[in-house]
Amino acid sequence: MTNAAPLNASFHLTTLGDNDIDKSFALATRVFVDSSTLHRALNIQLNEYRDYLWPSFKAMVSEGLSVVSVDSTTGKILGCLIITEFPHADSPSGEKATAFSPLSALTSELVGRYLRKRDLKRGEAVLVDIGAVAPVASGRGIYKAMR
């Protein structure tokens, strides 16, 4: 997707790279903290979540598989789909990881259940780790287009 072709008059998709990583990260973390039932139930705060997630977000984007949706008129980021090779060893960590231990435990359990039934090696599968669309852009088919 290096040459972003307009899907329609309102937005286009392109590979997420260095130019859009900060804005995509801000969008994704805001959407998850505000809209995710799990994140809200755990009372995850935006700045703590950003500190926790940034290293793994940056690593996933560096793989070159992630996609961003851009408003064709304004150039604003409307959505992002963060895709990574699966299985992957990288996961958010650090001092604040204990505040996110329920989220990490759930992810580990789901990955474990999936891999017990499959023998996957790196390069054989991908994981859509994060998918986010700006609330003002919902209902426009952006998430479906990014998939």
Side-chain angles (χ1 to χ4, degrees):
M1 275 197 232
T2 53
N3 295 328
L7 294 176
N8 62 34
S10 60
F11 66 90
H12 62 273
L13 304 180
T14 190
T15 302
L16 177 55
D18 291 340
N19 290 342
D20 295 320
I21 192 170
D22 291 331
K23 290 177 184 175
S24 296
F25 181 71
L27 170 67
T29 52
R30 170 59 70 189
V31 167
F32 270 71
V33 168
D34 289 351
S35 304
S36 164
T37 301
L38 182 58
H39 288 69
R40 288 187 4 236
L42 294 173
N43 195 31
I44 293 176
Q45 301 300 307
L46 182 61
N47 287 333
E48 289 176 328
Y49 186 52
R50 286 178 172 165
D51 290 345
Y52 168 76
L53 187 63
W54 175 248
S56 62
F57 187 93
K58 187 175 178 183
M60 288 185 284
V61 170
S62 74
E63 293 176 25
L65 303 172
S66 300
V67 177
V68 65
S69 173
V70 180
D71 185 292
S72 297
T73 304
T74 67
K76 290 186 179 180
I77 303 297
L78 299 176
C80 60
L81 200 65
I82 308 306
I83 304 166
T84 186
E85 284 195 49
F86 183 81
H88 63 285
D90 300 337
S91 62
S93 61
E95 205 173 285
K96 295 186 179 187
T98 56
F100 301 94
S101 56
L103 188 59
S104 297
L106 176 60
T107 300
S108 293
E109 177 64 22
L110 292 173
V111 167
R113 286 183 184 190
Y114 188 82
L115 291 176
R116 277 192 288 276
K117 296 180 181 181
R118 293 159 185 87
D119 183 26
L120 290 176
K121 311 275 186 293
R122 279 186 68 82
E124 294 180 337
V126 295
L127 169 71
V128 175
D129 196 85
I130 298 171
V133 174
V136 298
S138 66
R140 292 172 54 186
I142 292 170
Y143 183 79
K144 186 176 180 181
M146 289 189 299
R147 292 185 310 167

